[in-house]
Amino acid sequence: MADRKTLQATEQTIQKQYAYIDKIKDITTEISNKEGRQPTYDIRVFGCQMNEHDAEKIAGMLDDMGYSKVTEGDKADIIVFDTCCVRENAEEKVYGHLGLLKPSDDDEKKSVVAITGCMMQQPHVVEKIKKSYRHVGIVFGTHNLYTFPELLYKYLTKGKRIFDVWDTEGQIVEGTPITRAENVKAWVNIMLGCNNFCSYCIVPYVRGRERSRNKQDIVDEVQRLADAGYKEITLLGQNVNSYGNDLGKKDAFADLLYAINDIQGIERIRFMTSHPKDLSDSLITAIKELPKVCEHLHLPFQSGSSRVLKEMNRKYTKEHYLGLIDKVREQVPGISFTTDIIVGFPGETEEDFLETLDVVKKVRFDQAFTFLYSKRTGTKAAKFENQIDEDVKKERFQRLVDLQNSIGEEINQTYDGKIVEVLVEGISRNKDTMYTGRTREYKLVNFPCDEDLTGKLVKVKIVKSRPFWLEGAVIPEGEIS
Ligand code: 5AD
Ligand code: SF4
């Protein structure tokens, strides 16, 4: 993303939005002058990293418009929901939160409520919001996130509800303002959308087809992050291994990693998500060769049964997946793996599920994100007749979680007494007496320290392994042999 000053005149699309930002700034300045306070915003994010990153863009726009982030417990002038629809419970959470915001007559302050994100790309959801959640003022989609300033200005000046969701992707718009949630590590989008149409998944319908950002735009963004002191970047896409396919480029993802590895100041590079069907030899070589690319791969396998994988339209088998893991481990010893697994896909038998447990046992993932299959209207699998009973799903789910937890704990125990390199991210949110950070393999490490080492790479000795994290002690620089 170019920054505001370096934008070309041809980039009218985003310039138009900056004009609306300036108009809203006049409105917020007036409020500040009259009421002696800065109007506030609250962004509530549901779902994946892509949404977290989109929320940083919404925050950037609102900051530029003269709003400030609300302090906890206060009611904000603008509340924005960034929603997810990948599973039903994510949608239910949003409706729950929205219901709580219904204003009563004696409410002193009525907030502007705006909603965006994947859920809004579904027409039946928009209809429901229109009818049953009349306090929602602005609804917009994932493809026109960058038009938020225009929509907000129209809402503030005309007071009429606005529903503006685009059903096609349109261009990638560079240059939206951004306020990042963290200051050591940053997300960088490299592509949007997905072409895979896994039969259970709603994402291709709500995020559109794959579109890659230009390599130079990405490199420039990472350079600016490095200049601002960021140390770690995570490249984001639904399927990063197909980065560049739509630009007619082969091996473009590995090539991008080489370019980013050359950027001074960046210490670590991560990426997600990889699809097993597209994991190329050139990518494995890049992980092996490039010093900044971390030894960690998030590689969702979803099911261990080749029959179920076929029904899921995943385009690989159990054997292929296990072969890939072996190949990567051979080339990059010590690499850690994390994964996503779905339990209870339509037609999944006990035997199929045992194949899933078998993959978990064979690979020994550091961490697995486990999901109960959730029927998503509009997907192919929603029409499958052999949906699995909820109790059966839950019982299998528990067995899977128990197995993975014991493996995760055993892996953590192997760290006892080891010295690891940690990039310090700041004070731990859960343990405020400790600093927190991760190893290159993505292990969470907490350690007490008198000195603020945020943003530094430090050597830490693991003194106690826990089921889900490691406790360490910093080794002073002079003592590292
Ligand atoms: N039900 C359950 N889990 C799902 N995922 C995607 N769609 C569904 C669904 N319908 C999971 C997959 C994916 C992760 C982001 O969410 O495991 O990798
Ligand atoms: Fe969904 Fe499959 Fe695309 Fe991932 S690769 S976003 S699971 S369709």
Side-chain angles (χ1 to χ4, degrees):
M1 266 174 275
D3 79 16
R4 187 176 186 175
K5 291 183 204 76
T6 60
L7 282 172
Q8 302 293 313
T10 48
E11 290 166 316
Q12 284 170 351
T13 316
I14 197 68
Q15 292 290 10
K16 184 175 157 198
Q17 296 306 320
Y18 276 111
Y20 281 108
I21 287 177
D22 289 342
K23 286 184 189 190
I24 298 177
K25 179 105 188 136
D26 292 341
I27 298 176
T28 54
T29 307
E30 208 180 305
I31 297 175
S32 303
N33 292 342
K34 241 195 230 156
E35 300 178 18
R37 64 171 195 105
Q38 207 180 353
T40 53
Y41 70 83
D42 182 4
I43 304 175
R44 305 195 186 167
V45 194
F46 302 80
C48 66
Q49 291 79 7
M50 204 63 88
N51 272 17
E52 296 281 351
H53 188 44
D54 281 350
E56 294 182 327
K57 294 180 189 166
I58 298 167
M61 295 187 244
L62 285 161
D63 282 327
D64 278 13
M65 292 172 201
Y67 292 91
S68 65
K69 194 172 165 188
V70 75
T71 41
E72 214 151 311
D74 274 352
K75 193 170 176 197
D77 293 81
I78 298 190
I79 302 174
V80 187
F81 286 79
D82 190 6
T83 63
C84 167
C85 61
V86 85
R87 283 170 294 276
E88 193 177 354
N89 58 4
E91 294 199 340
E92 276 160 7
K93 262 193 226 157
V94 171
Y95 288 128
H97 276 241
L98 272 183
L100 291 176
L101 283 178
K102 277 192 183 160
S104 60
D105 288 342
D106 45 52
D107 262 352
E108 273 174 32
K109 181 167 164 189
K110 291 201 173 50
S111 308
V112 174
V113 179
I115 320 188
T116 183
C118 297
M119 231 174 125
M120 298 306 117
Q121 291 295 138
Q122 305 172 98
H124 70 272
V125 172
V126 175
E127 271 317 298
K128 184 164 168 171
I129 304 268
K130 235 180 223 171
K131 281 204 195 102
S132 310
Y133 296 87
R134 303 200 59 83
H135 56 299
V136 172
I138 307 170
V139 170
F140 58 118
T142 56
H143 302 316
N144 63 327
L145 189 94
Y146 68 92
T147 67
F148 179 50
E150 179 174 356
L151 303 179
L152 180 59
Y153 180 76
K154 287 182 178 158
Y155 182 76
L156 290 175
T157 51
K158 297 200 179 103
K160 276 201 195 122
R161 298 176 85 194
I162 295 179
F163 294 84
D164 192 11
V165 178
W166 301 356
D167 56 10
T168 46
E169 300 85 346
Q171 71 211 99
I172 292 189
V173 175
E174 298 287 340
T176 358
I178 187 156
T179 302
R180 296 190 184 262
E182 313 220 24
N183 45 23
V184 176
K185 52 183 195 173
W187 311 112
V188 175
N189 255 148
I190 63 166
M191 60 191 303
L192 305 172
C194 179
N195 289 353
N196 289 319
F197 289 95
C198 300
S199 64
Y200 51 81
C201 186
I202 193 86
V203 169
Y205 303 91
V206 295
R207 288 272 177 182
R209 295 295 69 72
E210 281 177 11
R211 285 145 291 145
S212 302
R213 287 178 69 197
N214 286 324
K215 180 177 167 190
Q216 197 55 49
D217 287 330
I218 299 170
V219 169
D220 289 350
E221 181 176 351
V222 177
Q223 181 64 61
R224 277 197 305 281
L225 288 166
D227 295 344
Y230 283 86
K231 299 285 186 265
E232 176 177 307
I233 56 141
T234 302
L235 305 175
L236 284 182
Q238 304 301 343
N239 180 13
V240 289
N241 304 120
S242 59
Y243 168 75
N245 286 358
D246 57 314
L247 305 174
K249 301 211 167 96
K250 236 187 135 255
D251 279 338
F253 184 54
D255 186 46
L256 179 68
L257 288 175
Y258 280 86
I260 293 175
N261 191 74
D262 285 343
I263 296 175
Q264 285 239 327
I266 295 297
E267 307 271 8
R268 287 181 175 184
I269 303 167
R270 302 185 187 277
F271 53 87
M272 69 190 311
T273 294
S274 295
H275 194 304
K277 82 175 165 61
D278 296 320
L279 189 84
S280 62
D281 288 349
S282 65
L283 175 62
I284 301 173
T285 308
I287 303 173
K288 181 178 164 181
E289 280 186 352
L290 296 175
K292 294 179 184 174
V293 175
C294 290
E295 293 76 21
H296 166 228
L297 195 57
H298 182 65
L299 197 62
F301 79 93
Q302 314 295 5
S303 167
S305 155
S306 296
R307 191 192 64 78
V308 171
L309 286 170
K310 192 150 197 282
E311 296 285 303
M312 287 177 161
N313 193 29
R314 290 289 290 177
K315 300 196 171 86
Y316 56 86
T317 60
K318 176 187 180 187
E319 290 66 36
H320 177 78
Y321 185 87
L322 291 173
L324 263 184
I325 297 278
D326 286 346
K327 184 153 100 180
V328 177
R329 279 205 165 123
E330 212 171 275
Q331 296 285 318
V332 192
I335 189 166
S336 70
F337 290 98
T338 53
T339 197
D340 292 347
I341 308 170
I342 297 176
V343 176
F345 183 79
E348 182 190 74
T349 62
E350 175 65 17
E351 286 68 41
D352 292 324
F353 177 65
L354 291 176
E355 301 270 17
T356 295
L357 293 185
D358 188 47
V359 172
V360 171
K361 281 183 208 148
K362 288 202 165 106
V363 178
R364 296 181 66 79
F365 295 98
D366 279 61
Q367 199 182 356
F369 299 89
T370 46
F371 306 107
L372 286 167
Y373 168 73
S374 170
K375 190 171 160 179
R376 303 285 63 212
T377 309
T379 62
K380 205 167 161 212
K383 297 196 197 86
F384 292 175
E385 271 166 13
N386 38 8
Q387 302 284 329
I388 304 290
D389 183 78
E390 281 304 307
D391 288 341
V392 174
K393 272 194 216 170
K394 284 188 185 142
E395 189 268 338
R396 287 181 189 160
F397 184 82
Q398 198 51 53
R399 278 152 69 200
L400 174 63
V401 169
D402 290 345
L403 173 65
Q404 175 54 39
N405 283 353
S406 66
I407 292 173
E409 194 168 349
E410 281 165 20
I411 296 177
N412 278 5
Q413 281 163 3
T414 66
Y415 278 82
D416 269 322
K418 265 192 193 167
I419 294 172
V420 293
E421 183 197 79
V422 173
L423 175 60
V424 186
E425 292 170 21
I427 301 275
S428 161
R429 275 189 207 124
N430 302 324
K431 308 208 167 309
D432 61 9
T433 53
M434 297 216 193
Y435 278 88
T436 193
R438 293 202 181 250
T439 68
R440 289 176 64 93
E441 301 81 17
Y442 206 59
K443 283 276 166 224
L444 182 64
V445 181
N446 293 324
F447 56 90
C449 189
D450 295 334
E451 196 187 337
D452 183 358
L453 298 170
T454 304
K456 300 229 159 51
L457 284 171
V458 296
K459 295 281 182 206
V460 174
K461 181 165 184 173
I462 303 305
V463 293
K464 192 170 172 131
S465 69
R466 314 273 185 152
F468 300 105
W469 56 283
L470 303 169
E471 187 173 335
V474 180
I475 305 181
E477 254 173 78
E479 289 175 27
I480 301 169
S481 54

